[in-house]
């Protein structure tokens, strides 16, 4: 039973229990739709939060804005854009423009390698870039400003020293995803933004409204990409649907989505699994794949409940160390509780 149908028909007490509301006489008259309203009303206390949009089996059942923001306002989705870039890599592989995830990065970016490169560069693959296992020193965090101040972001990312072996622990680095954007630009014969228009354009409501470029004009892979929450939701729905649009048009192979959701390393941000740009965990008793951008830009997919949820927050406020990201996870767990209560 889908959540939209569940909201119309499911019993009340299980829903109340699922979100830990007190079972009072008035609570016993509360419908599941009311329970979702209660959860989203309470979310207003999460000050950086701007929007929450919930889709069940392709139908938007809740769309809430806070502080004057709406789901039609473009926002910088920050590192949530990494899953868009890794999906485009999968499309390029499907189209035969790339050989596969084990293709050598040194082969693809030979003209941008530093002179006398570390021999380990030959072992770095597309897979390593997508899973943050390249072994190169991070260009994110404290090193981000220095990296984007360089004259050539691609060459700079490739020139970082190795601090681990390729295929080793996760070293979160936007430079790795930017290398993917450079590779897509080269093999696709057009900018990453144009390729996104061409390849992802068939998705209803999908549009990129802004995207920063490096000094060479390559669009920044994995950051500074703007779109509306509804557009991000549409992308997530395509992924949840196994790579096809509502009209049945194939965008990316189902096999690629399965590969993307395969845990390849463990994130240092809370210990969740990490695949190809996707964080992987369990929330509310269900497997969840999610994209996370700085400040709390979230795209959640809960496959077995047919749920896709987008949350956006102030992109200039942190979300990791201050607990905001974890509170968003808790909010999703409440939404999952409502969705799954009928089955418990």
């Amino acid at each position: 039973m889908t959540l939209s149908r569940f909201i119309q028909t499911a019993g009340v007490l299980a829903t109340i229990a699922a979100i830990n509301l007190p079972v009072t006489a008035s609570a016993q008259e509360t419908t599941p739709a009311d329970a979702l309203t209660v959860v989203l009303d309470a979310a207003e206390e999460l000050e950086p939060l701007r929007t929450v949009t919930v889709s069940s089996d392709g139908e938007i059942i809740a769309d809430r804005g806070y502080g004057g923001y709406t789901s039609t306002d473009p926002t910088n989705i920050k590192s949530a854009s990494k899953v868009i870039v890794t999906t485009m890599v999968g499309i390029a592989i499907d189209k035969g423009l790339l050989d596969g995830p084990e293709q050598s990065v040194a082969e693809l970016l030979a003209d941008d390698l530093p002179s006398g490169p570390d021999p380990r560069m030959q072992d770095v693959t597309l897979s390593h870039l997508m899973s943050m296992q390249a072994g190169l020193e991070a260009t994110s965090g404290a090193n981000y400003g220095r990296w984007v101040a360089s004259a050539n972001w691609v060459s700079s990312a490739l020139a970082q020293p190795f601090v681990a072996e390729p295929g080793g622990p996760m070293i979160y680095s936007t430079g790795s995803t930017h290398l993917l954007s450079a590779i897509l630009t080269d093999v696709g014969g057009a900018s990453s933004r144009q390729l996104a228009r061409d390849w992802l354009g068939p998705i209803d409501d999908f549009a990129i409204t802004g995207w920063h470029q490096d000094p060479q004009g390559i669009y920044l892979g994995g950051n500074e990409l703007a779109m509306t929450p509804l557009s991000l939701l549409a992308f997530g729905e395509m992924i949840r649907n196994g790579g096809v649009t509502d009209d049945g048009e194939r965008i990316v192979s189902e096999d690629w989505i399965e590969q993307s959701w395969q845990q390849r390393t463990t994130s240092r941000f809370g210990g969740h699994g990490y695949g190809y740009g996707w964080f992987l965990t369990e929330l509310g008793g269900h497997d969840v794949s999610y994209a996370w951008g700085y400040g709390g830009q979230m795209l959640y997919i809960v496959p077995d409940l047919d749920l896709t949820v987008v949350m956006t927050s102030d992109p200039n406020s942190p979300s990791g160390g201050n607990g905001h990201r974890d509170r968003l996870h808790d909010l999703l767990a409440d939404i999952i509780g409502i969705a799954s209560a009928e089955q418990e």
Side-chain angles (χ1 to χ4, degrees):
M1 180 181 293
T2 66
L3 180 53
S4 55
R5 178 64 176 161
F6 165 61
I7 283 178
Q8 299 170 22
T9 62
V12 172
L13 295 180
T15 301
I16 299 301
I19 60 172
N20 299 314
L21 294 177
V23 182
T24 63
S26 59
Q28 292 180 20
E29 299 173 2
T30 303
T31 68
D34 291 335
L36 186 57
T37 298
V38 168
V39 166
L40 296 181
D41 284 348
E44 192 167 6
E45 299 300 318
L46 304 178
E47 187 174 338
L49 185 64
R50 290 185 173 180
T51 67
V52 178
T53 307
V54 182
S55 175
S56 172
D57 197 27
E59 178 184 350
I60 293 177
I61 59 168
D63 188 19
R64 183 72 67 89
Y66 304 92
Y69 292 94
T70 75
S71 60
T72 60
D73 297 326
T75 189
N76 187 345
I77 66 170
K78 296 290 187 175
S79 286
S81 60
K82 287 179 169 63
V83 298
I84 294 176
V85 174
T86 58
T87 298
M88 290 173 65
V89 171
I91 295 171
I93 292 172
D94 292 342
K95 291 179 176 293
L97 300 174
L98 292 168
D99 295 341
E102 301 308 317
Q103 191 168 0
S104 165
V105 171
E107 167 196 329
L108 292 163
L109 294 174
D111 293 342
D112 296 290
L113 294 177
S115 59
D118 189 305
R120 287 174 287 187
M121 183 58 69
Q122 299 297 323
D123 298 327
V124 178
T125 65
L126 292 173
S127 178
H128 294 148
L129 295 182
M130 291 185 286
S131 63
M132 300 293 174
Q133 294 177 284
L136 296 167
E137 186 173 64
T139 57
S140 293
N143 297 331
Y144 184 80
R146 173 173 55 83
W147 174 58
V148 296
S150 67
N152 187 311
W153 298 359
V154 173
S155 295
S156 177
L158 290 169
Q160 298 302 309
F162 278 88
V163 294
E165 297 299 314
M170 180 188 195
I171 301 173
Y172 192 87
S173 179
T174 294
S176 289
T177 326
H178 188 59
L179 295 179
L180 295 173
S181 181
I183 290 167
L184 287 168
T185 300
D186 185 43
V187 302
S191 71
S192 296
R193 186 169 185 175
Q194 185 59 52
L195 294 175
R197 289 191 183 109
D198 294 342
W199 296 351
L200 302 174
I203 303 171
D204 286 344
D205 299 323
F206 179 87
I208 294 172
T209 59
W211 199 353
H212 285 195
Q213 295 169 276
D214 74 5
Q216 285 66 48
I218 297 169
Y219 285 92
L220 175 50
N223 198 6
E224 304 301 330
L225 185 154
M227 61 197 315
T228 68
L230 288 180
S231 183
L232 184 58
L233 183 80
F235 171 83
E237 274 293 283
M238 179 274 295
I239 296 295
R240 184 193 64 79
N241 279 327
V244 299
T245 67
D246 291 340
D247 296 331
E249 182 171 349
R250 170 75 50 194
I251 301 296
V252 66
S253 66
E254 190 169 12
D255 177 68
W256 182 256
I257 297 171
E258 292 175 0
Q259 290 186 57
S260 298
W261 287 355
Q262 178 182 336
Q263 181 172 345
R264 299 171 189 281
T265 186
T266 300
S267 168
R268 64 183 181 85
F269 306 113
H272 293 172
Y274 194 75
Y276 286 162
W278 293 93
F279 293 87
L280 311 165
T281 191
E282 181 181 292
L283 294 170
H286 294 265
D287 289 337
V288 177
S289 298
Y290 70 95
W292 169 36
Y294 183 86
Q297 323 313 318
M298 317 298 296
L299 166 60
Y300 295 105
I301 299 177
V302 190
D304 66 339
L305 293 177
D306 294 321
L307 274 179
T308 305
V309 179
V310 167
M311 303 180 191
T312 64
S313 305
D314 181 356
N316 299 309
S317 174
S319 63
N322 65 2
H324 180 60
R325 175 208 58 203
D326 294 337
R327 287 188 284 273
L328 297 181
H329 289 343
D330 291 341
L331 175 56
L332 180 74
D334 286 341
I335 294 169
I336 287 174
I338 297 170
S340 59
E342 190 271 342
Q343 303 172 21
E344 296 175 352

